[in-house]
Amino acid sequence: MSALDPRALRHAFGAYMTGVTIVTARRNDGTPVGFTANSFTSVSLDPPLLLVCPGQFLSSYQTFTTCTHFAVSVLAEGQEDIATVFAGSKADRFAQVICSDDLHGVPLIRDAVAQFSCTSHSCVEAGDHSMLLGRVEAFTHHEAPGLGYVSGRFFSLSTERAALDHVDGLTIAGAIVQDGDAVLLQRTATGLAPLHCAHQDRGALLTHLRDTLNAMGVQASLGQAYSVFDDAKGRKHHSYFLATGTQARPNADVVAVPIGELSAQTFASPALRTMMLRFADDARSRHFGLYFGDTEHGGVHAPTDRR
Ligand SMILES: Cc1cc2nc3c(=O)[nH]c(=O)nc-3n(C[C@H](O)[C@H](O)[C@H](O)COP(=O)(O)O)c2cc1C
């Protein structure tokens, strides 16, 4: 038995940013099996080898450790739903996505950024997982941004980058700081708002936001962009980021509101209210899409499966 705290170790492992893949094979009777995996690694060019680690907990574990062929599809931005289906759906996973068979008859996910068709090379048991090495027999690849995953959340880097590209005018930067089951909010004259600051220089914005949080006595680490919008008159640009943290020093302007009570609060603007209610929803499903648009029109990137 290891003396390490497994929960803490899982979190530490989860800090490593990865892409997301779907690993597929067929049982002896031809039934397709598949699971979401971020343990994918490219191993060797000559011979062409890759690696994935199926866990012993998988219902398809034995199929993957004994199969002669398997395939890996690298998911594109926007394919979060597919990752969610192959991470938990108990219904027929393949009835919920569009696939095509590769040269070995193994399903490949349509519109994946890359697809690798493999012959099993070797499989080494490693603790509660196995390391399954595949020799790549064929592959496809198209230039598109891949879906990202870190700390239990999907992210879409190119969409975030595009949304945060330069705009003129004043920018409000805010952090939706989750502290356990509550969120830390700032009291303003017109109602509650995420902890925020205003700045002209977008390059210095995140540094300024971190300094603001520190000055408010909040210890937080900033995560992905969550909502990026211009106000209706287009004079102010708002960027809100997800964050986790705690109130390290008391501050009368900062209040911890349980996420379940967000809908009962008065917010400084209708746009902030809409955003915070979406956050309450997303916090339940742990799938956080990125909104961008203006205060009235816009869309959430990353359609999410509400399990
Ligand atoms: C982003 C992500 C990455 C995952 N990576 C792996 C992995 O590398 N190996 C693994 O065995 N399970 C991984 N899982 C969990 C499996 O996808 C999940 O346990 C599996 O689909 C359950 O299948 P089953 O119901 O057939 O047992 C991952 C899940 C997610 C959401």
Side-chain angles (χ1 to χ4, degrees), residues 18-21 23 27 34-40 52-61 83-90 93 128-129 149 154 307:
T18 66
V20 185
T21 69
V23 187
R27 293 191 203 279
F35 68 100
T36 301
N38 67 341
S39 55
F40 169 81
V52 289
C53 298
Q56 286 179 7
F57 50 82
L58 294 175
S59 63
S60 51
Y61 178 70
T84 305
V85 164
F86 279 86
S89 174
K90 297 294 167 218
R93 295 177 179 180
D128 52 17
H129 282 62
Y149 190 74
F154 299 110
R307 274 174 290 171

Side-chain angles (χ1 to χ4, degrees), residues 192 262-279:
L192 294 175
L262 283 172
S263 60
Q265 309 303 314
T266 303
F267 287 97
S269 73
L272 290 182
R273 180 176 177 79
T274 305
M275 177 176 77
M276 293 312 299
L277 295 191
R278 179 167 73 88
F279 173 79

Side-chain angles (χ1 to χ4, degrees), residues 2-307:
S2 155
L4 301 177
D5 173 358
R7 245 175 101 89
L9 182 60
R10 180 195 283 262
H11 278 121
F13 279 161
Y16 183 60
M17 282 187 222
T18 66
V20 185
T21 69
I22 305 296
V23 187
T24 48
R26 281 194 190 272
R27 293 191 203 279
N28 290 338
D29 66 3
T31 317
V33 290
F35 68 100
T36 301
N38 67 341
S39 55
F40 169 81
T41 306
S42 58
V43 175
S44 161
L45 278 176
D46 186 15
L49 298 176
L50 59 72
L51 168 76
V52 289
C53 298
Q56 286 179 7
F57 50 82
L58 294 175
S59 63
S60 51
Y61 178 70
Q62 226 210 325
T63 303
F64 282 102
T65 53
T66 56
C67 64
T68 52
H69 301 103
F70 68 96
V72 179
S73 300
V74 178
L75 295 186
E77 282 192 5
Q79 292 190 312
E80 297 84 344
D81 279 359
I82 299 178
T84 305
V85 164
F86 279 86
S89 174
K90 297 294 167 218
D92 179 1
R93 295 177 179 180
F94 292 88
Q96 301 174 61
V97 297
I98 304 176
C99 292
S100 58
D101 280 358
D102 72 1
L103 70 164
H104 307 121
V106 177
L108 299 169
I109 305 294
R110 193 168 90 178
D111 295 333
V113 176
Q115 301 164 321
F116 301 99
S117 296
C118 301
T119 302
S120 299
H121 174 275
S122 52
C123 190
V124 181
E125 225 181 274
D128 52 17
H129 282 62
S130 277
M131 296 188 291
L132 172 60
L133 278 160
R135 185 188 171 104
V136 181
E137 306 290 355
F139 70 97
T140 68
H141 173 221
H142 69 272
E143 292 297 335
L147 179 63
Y149 190 74
V150 68
S151 299
R153 288 177 183 170
F154 299 110
F155 66 88
S156 300
L157 205 51
S158 76
T159 315
E160 285 193 27
R161 274 199 197 131
L164 293 171
D165 266 357
H166 181 79
V167 290
D168 291 330
L170 192 66
T171 295
I172 310 286
I176 303 173
V177 183
Q178 190 172 346
D179 181 3
D181 291 334
V183 58
L184 302 180
L185 295 171
Q186 184 176 343
R187 287 196 177 94
T188 75
T190 48
L192 294 175
L195 312 181
H196 64 279
C197 61
H199 216 262
Q200 295 281 2
D201 175 6
R202 303 203 73 204
L205 199 67
L206 284 175
T207 311
H208 195 54
L209 180 57
R210 285 194 189 96
D211 291 347
T212 304
L213 295 176
N214 270 334
M216 287 176 158
V218 172
Q219 253 173 18
S221 71
L222 292 176
Q224 70 176 71
Y226 184 61
S227 195
V228 176
F229 58 91
D230 297 320
D231 70 17
K233 297 185 190 94
R235 280 202 299 264
K236 273 193 214 142
H237 183 77
H238 300 252
S239 297
Y240 292 94
F241 298 85
L242 296 179
T244 50
T246 53
Q247 176 82 59
R249 291 192 312 279
N251 181 324
D253 287 338
V254 178
V255 50
V257 177
I259 294 171
E261 291 171 22
L262 283 172
S263 60
Q265 309 303 314
T266 303
F267 287 97
S269 73
L272 290 182
R273 180 176 177 79
T274 305
M275 177 176 77
M276 293 312 299
L277 295 191
R278 179 167 73 88
F279 173 79
D281 237 19
D282 290 353
R284 266 192 293 275
S285 64
R286 293 180 55 79
H287 287 252
F288 297 86
L290 167 66
Y291 172 90
F292 55 133
D294 59 29
T295 51
E296 272 126 49
H297 309 284
V300 176
H301 175 76
T304 53
D305 181 68
R306 309 267 145 126
R307 274 174 290 171

